[in-house]
Amino acid sequence: MSTYGRDAAVAKEIRFSIVMYGGVSLAIYMNGVTQELFHMVRATARDSWDYKPDMKFRFKDESDPEDDTRPVLKSTERFYRKLASLLNDDGVDDVRFIIDVISGTSAGGINGIFLAKALSDDRLSFDLLKTLWINEGAIENLLNDRQTQKGVGLPVDNSPKSLLCSDRMYIKLLTALTGMLSAEAAQQGKPNALVREIDLFATSTDINGRVQPLRLADMLVWERKFRTDFHFIAATSAMTSRRRTIRFLRLWRGVHRRFRLPLSRCVCRS
């Protein structure tokens, strides 16, 4: 068995709360950071949340026996596992990297959504998002012109109301979101979360705004609020102590439906 693949009980957790910056120019850079955070969590994931004498890492190292059927670590994950090993107390192998909270705005919010979904199911990958940002992030692909509209089957608008074609990007992002589970990964069995519980916050701007009362010292006035926040919570069924607990698949199968109606009048805030 490899040095970093020995049995271990989860006792020492290093937790992270993530804030993703917005901005089209930062989308690809932030996606790279998001990918590394995902690899960091995978590197120290265990096969059980509760202590068991025979507990193992969920993903095996390449030096583990070939007859070991666990999925193999990929990309930079073996380095994060080595880092976790260096952070162990003497004689104990129990360090685990955990992400509790993800928040983001604009492109950062989109990266955060994909990261949160990937953490909810260890079979998922969001490499499609990386490819999307690289291939579709150029300004010439974002312009709201005839070529852009025809490319995704949208009706051609001779009098576009915006410089950029958000409908095209929505279609591309939704395709990437629903394609995170490959046919090969789907055969690996049931989903198993990489986190016990995670909170996701994504901000946007309500174009029309919501009229709300504001009481002054001598009168009541009405003003429009344009800020909109989306809060998603995912937790394993074992986390029954929180009233808001919901199962992963139920949450993420409906994520685009929950966004669709509000986003018909919302834009991401940068």
Side-chain angles (χ1 to χ4, degrees):
M1 185 173 293
S2 66
T3 304
Y4 307 111
R6 59 186 181 275
D7 296 347
V10 177
K12 187 175 181 180
E13 295 181 341
I14 300 176
R15 295 178 172 269
F16 296 83
S17 294
I18 310 301
V19 178
M20 301 285 185
Y21 289 102
V24 175
S25 61
L26 288 175
I28 299 175
Y29 164 76
M30 290 302 298
N31 181 260
V33 174
T34 306
Q35 295 278 356
E36 289 305 309
L37 291 170
F38 178 57
H39 292 315
M40 179 187 70
V41 174
R42 277 175 49 95
T44 56
R46 317 285 172 150
D47 62 359
S48 174
W49 294 108
D50 301 317
Y51 172 76
K52 295 191 304 182
D54 59 346
M55 180 177 291
K56 296 181 179 180
F57 286 108
R58 196 178 302 180
F59 303 95
K60 69 176 182 178
D61 190 90
E62 291 181 349
S63 59
D64 285 325
E66 293 184 1
D67 57 354
D68 192 330
T69 59
R70 291 175 297 167
V72 181
L73 292 174
K74 58 184 180 180
S75 187
T76 56
E77 291 170 359
R78 63 188 183 91
F79 297 106
Y80 290 115
R81 183 169 293 181
K82 184 175 182 179
L83 173 62
S85 178
L86 296 174
L87 296 174
N88 283 321
D89 296 327
D90 292 340
V92 183
D93 184 11
D94 61 356
V95 169
R96 182 172 187 166
F97 298 125
I98 300 289
I99 294 179
D100 286 316
V101 181
I102 301 173
S103 64
T105 189
S106 189
I110 295 171
N111 282 322
I113 290 170
F114 277 77
L115 174 60
K117 181 178 179 180
L119 291 174
S120 73
D121 184 344
D122 61 5
R123 304 172 303 168
L124 301 181
S125 167
F126 56 107
D127 289 341
L128 286 176
L129 181 62
K130 177 178 67 175
T131 303
L132 185 150
W133 286 136
I134 294 174
N135 295 337
E136 307 294 339
I139 189 65
E140 60 267 22
N141 295 329
L142 300 173
L143 293 176
N144 197 10
D145 55 15
R146 288 174 172 268
Q147 182 178 350
T148 297
Q149 294 165 1
K150 288 181 177 180
V152 288
L154 292 170
V156 175
D157 186 356
N158 294 320
S159 301
K161 299 179 178 60
S162 63
L163 176 63
L164 304 181
C165 185
S166 58
D167 288 338
R168 179 180 185 275
M169 184 55 71
Y170 172 82
I171 293 172
K172 295 288 186 179
L173 288 169
L174 182 56
T175 300
L177 183 69
T178 56
M180 293 178 68
L181 180 62
S182 65
E184 180 182 357
Q187 299 176 359
Q188 295 178 4
K190 296 181 179 180
N192 196 358
L194 293 169
V195 291
R196 300 193 77 171
E197 187 173 17
I198 190 166
D199 287 81
L200 167 66
F201 298 88
T203 63
S204 67
T205 299
D206 187 336
I207 297 175
N208 295 336
R210 304 180 306 280
V211 179
Q212 295 182 346
L214 177 63
R215 182 168 293 281
L216 303 180
D218 57 345
M219 63 185 299
L220 181 69
V221 298
W222 298 85
E223 69 171 7
R224 289 187 179 273
K225 295 285 187 179
F226 297 93
R227 174 179 175 139
T228 299
D229 299 296
F230 296 93
H231 182 195
F232 297 92
I233 305 163
T236 60
S237 57
M239 298 292 290
T240 56
S241 60
R242 290 188 60 172
R243 181 179 57 181
R244 300 175 298 173
T245 296
I246 44 182
R247 292 184 180 276
F248 289 108
L249 289 181
R250 181 180 175 188
L251 172 66
W252 293 115
R253 282 175 180 168
V255 66
H256 68 276
R257 291 195 295 271
R258 293 184 64 181
F259 266 72
R260 198 171 209 167
L261 181 58
L263 284 188
S264 63
R265 64 180 213 183
C266 290
V267 296
C268 290
R269 186 172 65 238
S270 59

